[in-house]
Amino acid sequence: MAAVTHSHGPAEVLAGPGSGKTRVIVGRLKYLISDRKLDPSSILTVTFSKAAALEMQSRAFDSLGDLGAAVNFGTFHAVFYRILQNQYRFSKQNIINAGRSRELIHEAAASLRISLSEIPGSLQILESEFSKAKSLGRELVEALLKERLSLKKADELLTFDSSVLNREDFIRLFRKYLKRMRELRLIDFDDMLIFCNSLFREKPEVLKKWQDKFKIILVDEFQDINPLQYECIRLIAAPQNDLFIVGDDDQSIYGFRGSSPAIMKDFLVDYEDAKLYPLNTNYRSGSKIVEAASKVIIRNTERLDKDIRSFQNTGIEVDIREFENRDEEFQGLKKGLEEAALRGQDPSQTAVLLRTNELSQLFSERFSEFLIPFRTREKVFNIYDHFIAQDILSYLELADGNRSRGLFFRVMNRPYRFISRNSLKNDNGSFEEILEYHKEDIKTVSKVKRWIWEIEKLSQMKPYGAVHFVLNGIGYLEHLKYYARENGADFEAYREICEEILYRARTYKSFSSWLAAIKDYGDKLLAASKCERADSKDAVNIMTMHSSKGLEFDEVYILDCNERVIPYHRMVLKAEIEEERRLFYVAMTRAKTRLHIFYIRDHFGKKQLPSRFLEDLMTFDQKKP
């Protein structure tokens, strides 16, 4: 193969799905070491995950024995941490963990009097956005750390807006956070790259030391690299530029980490003498799957041209089906799993792919309900543990006569009623106590009296009507909308939880029977948790589309392939839609033999449209259940 025996200088391997890119990298290592007799310790092979690095190392060892073990394998973070450790004597104690990072963000916000809600998610979102900001390059970080520079420079360099804070507050908080990290001599994974970049530019002798050590560099999954990683790799590869990169711009799905499919084109511009080696044969998927996936991805404009062909001349048609609602969709999935079992298919060779973690959790829950063995990277999700479910059930418990102070505390200001937590002193609360405490406050007294009337009304309703009244009559759904807007959360995900709870309430005639069912349901989930173990070979895989990247399965189900799900409703810009299309393409090409794409027509009374990504696939047999 031409790519394996590439002589020297920069090279780009454009590797489509299932084209054997790992085989190419291992084959090239064998060529360099066995045929060209190069020192294996002078070769650096960079991957994006520790698991991928270990797998590559294992395959190289199988192919080359001890010589393969001498090759330097590692993730970007591991490689650059090693450099910093050597130069600055950094240890693991200098690497900040997620919990401490969020503490520092919270402390920095408090010192700047920037309001951050306690809502789960805000600190994580900011942490992710800080990481994305760092990936833009060291210039932004240096601008923020230098007192003499105004925030205007940082504003020019920041190419995105925070979903949690306004632009000015985000920059102020980011600056405070960076300074606090430096004071404590703490670094995160992004800092490793920034420190290395600055080190290489400020101390050429240090850079030369690592250039002399790593004569040849191979990079896997190059489409996932961010600008800062690319800059560091280019510095080490110079001046020989023996840089061998493998990737596929059509599988670039980590824009939120700063990656872009354009980097595959940029490489060919930055290295005008680079050789391009396309791998256009898909050895994994049947011809019908490859044909369908190609029809989808060709709609993207930001991509290099390819002509992907299946190694297999025949294949099973892609199964695209419409279902009335999610219940019928799940029954269609269940029937398909039963048919696979009759064919003797190993359940571990089946994957159910969803767009979001929330959907992954909801379908995991359905599997638990029917005691179908599954494994997932997510914790088994009990919808009744969600804070929204807890809020709604607290309203219903109050209506049922429970007067625990905890119930009052939970919902007294959801929606906001200006009620003070100091108004309740005893373990058992009362509306009378709240009214007495606020007797001089006419506005609050009025709202409490309205709340008393609402609780009385709830006590006369069956569960379905009661939940509907909490959401719409009491205004809890409107409260969630405000809550999501103020804290950068996803209101659509909150609405999905509300609708699911409302849907579940419909079959119960009394609150007591529903509570008993909830307890029984929790027990079932606990029993089903044994089905999740990663070593279970009789379990179906449930995961997000992002998590499926790099994996393959005999049979794949892509569920809820509707507008606002895929593409995700928050993705509206052209670049965002193209990334969503790439994500769908990745999901499709995980399938080897059978690919099923399901979408629904109705969700809790609201009409649903099939995803726009299915437009070019409707020529396939579309079956009604």
Side-chain angles (χ1 to χ4, degrees):
M1 184 183 291
V4 168
T5 57
H6 171 75
S7 58
H8 63 274
E12 175 174 309
V13 178
L14 193 58
S19 60
K21 64 182 179 61
T22 304
R23 189 177 74 250
V24 168
I25 293 175
V26 174
R28 176 151 182 78
L29 288 173
K30 186 175 182 180
Y31 167 74
L32 293 171
I33 296 168
S34 297
D35 295 7
R36 287 180 52 184
K37 308 300 181 184
L38 297 181
D39 179 0
S41 66
S42 70
I43 302 172
L44 172 63
T45 303
V46 187
T47 64
F48 272 81
S49 71
K50 187 176 179 180
L54 290 172
E55 181 191 356
M56 199 83 73
Q57 189 172 26
S58 173
R59 291 179 65 168
F61 183 79
D62 290 343
S63 176
L64 292 161
D66 291 340
L67 288 175
V71 176
N72 297 279
F73 292 92
T75 64
F76 275 98
H77 297 136
V79 170
F80 292 111
Y81 172 66
R82 177 181 169 188
I83 294 171
L84 293 178
Q85 192 178 33
N86 184 277
Q87 184 67 28
Y88 296 123
R89 300 294 184 264
F90 276 133
S91 69
K92 290 182 180 179
Q93 281 67 44
N94 295 106
I95 302 176
I96 194 169
N97 60 39
R100 181 64 175 134
S101 175
R102 290 163 197 167
E103 283 178 14
L104 291 185
I105 295 172
H106 186 76
E107 291 168 9
S111 70
L112 295 172
R113 297 190 177 183
I114 293 174
S115 176
L116 289 179
S117 169
E118 295 301 322
I119 175 178
S122 289
L123 293 175
Q124 291 94 320
I125 292 169
L126 282 169
E127 186 179 38
S128 176
E129 289 176 344
F130 286 177
S131 175
K132 185 175 180 180
K134 288 180 182 181
S135 76
L136 296 175
R138 63 188 176 86
E139 193 178 358
L140 171 60
V141 172
E142 290 174 357
L144 287 168
L145 288 172
K146 292 178 181 177
E147 292 288 354
R148 62 185 177 80
L149 290 178
S150 70
L151 297 182
K152 183 179 179 183
K153 178 67 173 176
D155 186 59
E156 291 172 357
L157 294 169
L158 189 66
T159 59
F160 67 91
D161 291 321
S162 169
S163 61
V164 177
L165 298 173
N166 64 52
R167 195 171 182 83
E168 181 182 348
D169 282 347
F170 178 81
I171 292 173
R172 288 172 58 226
L173 181 60
F174 187 33
R175 180 183 219 172
K176 184 76 173 179
Y177 173 75
L178 288 172
K179 289 184 174 181
R180 187 61 178 145
M181 289 274 286
R182 295 299 185 269
E183 289 170 6
L184 296 172
R185 206 167 181 265
L186 293 172
I187 60 172
D188 59 23
F189 292 131
D190 301 296
D191 289 325
M192 292 179 193
L193 292 159
I194 291 171
F195 273 60
C196 280
N197 194 294
S198 298
L199 175 65
F200 290 158
R201 292 183 179 280
E202 294 166 6
K203 296 188 177 183
E205 70 280 7
V206 175
L207 173 60
K208 188 173 188 311
K209 171 186 171 182
W210 293 100
Q211 288 173 334
D212 290 343
K213 177 168 180 56
F214 299 133
K215 300 288 188 183
I216 296 178
I217 301 176
L218 291 76
V219 183
D220 187 24
E221 302 286 9
F222 190 76
Q223 76 280 346
D224 295 332
I225 204 170
N226 66 40
L228 190 56
Q229 291 167 332
Y230 184 34
E231 192 174 353
C232 286
I233 285 293
R234 289 193 69 190
L235 285 169
I236 298 177
Q240 294 97 332
N241 294 327
D242 252 325
L243 187 52
F244 185 88
I245 65 108
V246 182
D248 180 9
D249 53 344
D250 287 336
Q251 297 186 70
S252 177
I253 58 174
Y254 296 116
F256 58 89
R257 295 181 188 167
S259 66
S260 166
I263 202 159
M264 301 295 291
K265 285 183 180 179
D266 292 343
F267 183 88
L268 298 174
V269 173
D270 295 335
Y271 297 97
E272 293 181 356
D273 58 337
K275 299 290 186 183
L276 177 64
Y277 300 102
L279 302 183
N280 288 331
T281 301
N282 184 323
Y283 295 96
R284 173 193 301 151
S285 306
S287 59
K288 300 297 183 182
I289 295 171
V290 171
E291 180 185 343
S294 297
K295 284 185 176 182
V296 169
I297 201 61
I298 201 171
R299 288 282 191 130
N300 274 6
T301 57
E302 292 299 318
R303 63 188 296 266
L304 293 164
D305 289 335
K306 305 172 194 68
D307 183 21
I308 305 295
R309 301 292 177 89
S310 173
F311 182 72
Q312 306 174 38
N313 293 323
T314 59
I316 299 172
E317 293 282 4
V318 175
D319 171 32
I320 301 176
R321 299 196 215 182
E322 175 189 272
F323 292 87
E324 181 63 27
N325 52 45
R326 193 174 285 162
D327 272 353
E328 289 194 8
E329 180 184 40
F330 182 77
Q331 290 303 318
L333 168 63
K334 187 168 172 286
K335 183 180 179 182
L337 296 177
E338 290 166 352
E339 290 172 352
L342 291 174
R343 290 196 304 270
Q345 182 170 297
D346 183 347
S348 68
Q349 282 301 307
T350 299
V352 177
L353 307 184
L354 291 311
R355 172 61 183 85
T356 65
N357 282 323
E358 289 79 11
L359 282 175
S360 177
Q361 290 168 342
L362 282 173
F363 275 94
S364 296
E365 210 179 343
R366 296 287 173 93
F367 272 64
S368 296
E369 206 170 341
F370 286 88
L371 294 179
I372 301 172
F374 70 97
R375 57 174 168 238
T376 178
R377 298 181 182 184
E378 300 297 320
K379 180 183 177 183
V380 177
F381 176 64
N382 184 344
I383 195 170
Y384 296 114
D385 288 337
H386 197 283
F387 82 88
I388 291 175
Q390 292 292 308
D391 287 351
I392 293 171
L393 291 173
S394 293
Y395 268 109
L396 270 59
E397 284 199 62
L398 285 171
D400 199 45
N402 190 332
R403 290 296 180 263
S404 165
R405 184 171 61 168
L407 294 178
F408 279 99
F409 281 165
R410 183 162 198 104
V411 297
M412 61 170 48
N413 286 309
R414 299 181 183 183
Y416 198 59
R417 299 183 178 93
F418 310 101
I419 300 172
S420 170
R421 292 174 72 90
N422 293 328
S423 62
L424 293 174
K425 304 294 184 184
N426 304 310
D427 289 341
N428 285 323
S430 71
F431 290 106
E432 292 75 16
E433 193 178 359
I434 296 173
L435 285 170
E436 176 63 25
Y437 184 88
H438 290 285
K439 62 184 178 183
E440 304 299 327
D441 184 346
I442 296 174
K443 187 175 184 179
T444 302
V445 167
S446 174
K447 288 190 173 290
V448 173
K449 286 183 176 179
R450 164 78 185 184
W451 187 22
I452 294 170
W453 175 83
E454 290 166 347
I455 294 299
E456 175 61 30
K457 194 169 181 65
L458 279 175
S459 69
Q460 302 167 21
M461 297 178 176
K462 292 181 179 179
Y464 181 85
V467 174
H468 190 277
F469 184 69
V470 170
L471 295 176
N472 301 289
I474 293 178
Y476 183 74
L477 198 59
E478 193 62 30
H479 159 73
L480 285 178
K481 184 183 292 184
Y482 172 79
Y483 193 56
R485 185 173 63 248
E486 290 297 302
N487 296 283
D490 185 355
F491 173 64
E492 290 299 322
Y494 286 169
R495 187 203 293 274
E496 179 86 12
I497 296 292
C498 290
E499 290 175 337
E500 183 70 22
I501 294 165
L502 181 64
Y503 177 77
R504 288 166 183 250
R506 78 196 189 286
T507 58
Y508 301 100
K509 294 183 178 179
S510 68
F511 181 55
S512 59
S513 63
W514 192 17
L515 277 182
I518 289 172
K519 182 183 182 306
D520 180 59
Y521 178 68
D523 293 340
K524 280 185 178 180
L525 276 185
L526 190 61
S529 64
K530 296 176 183 177
C531 299
E532 290 181 89
R533 299 185 184 277
D535 58 356
S536 172
K537 294 182 179 179
D538 297 323
V540 175
N541 300 277
I542 303 176
M543 63 185 70
T544 63
M545 294 179 179
H546 280 99
S547 296
S548 73
K549 189 166 179 288
L551 303 177
E552 59 181 39
F553 305 92
D554 286 340
E555 190 162 14
V556 169
Y557 289 84
I558 302 175
L559 305 186
D560 274 24
C561 193
N562 289 84
E563 282 292 301
R564 299 182 62 78
V565 177
I566 177 73
Y568 195 52
H569 66 92
R570 284 189 169 185
M571 305 302 179
V572 293
L573 301 177
K574 179 178 181 289
E576 293 172 333
I577 296 298
E578 293 215 346
E579 178 157 322
E580 289 288 292
R581 188 178 281 110
R582 291 193 295 272
L583 181 59
F584 186 52
Y585 175 76
V586 166
M588 293 178 73
T589 53
R590 299 312 92 196
K592 292 195 284 188
T593 306
R594 289 180 169 83
L595 173 61
H596 310 269
I597 302 173
F598 292 175
Y599 65 94
I600 58 176
R601 190 168 60 190
D602 176 88
H603 188 51
F604 298 116
K606 289 199 269 304
K607 183 180 178 182
Q608 305 296 304
L609 296 174
S611 169
R612 70 192 73 178
F613 300 155
L614 298 182
E615 288 176 4
D616 296 311
L617 305 182
M618 293 304 190
T619 53
F620 291 96
D621 274 345
Q622 183 180 347
K623 302 174 184 177
K624 301 280 183 175

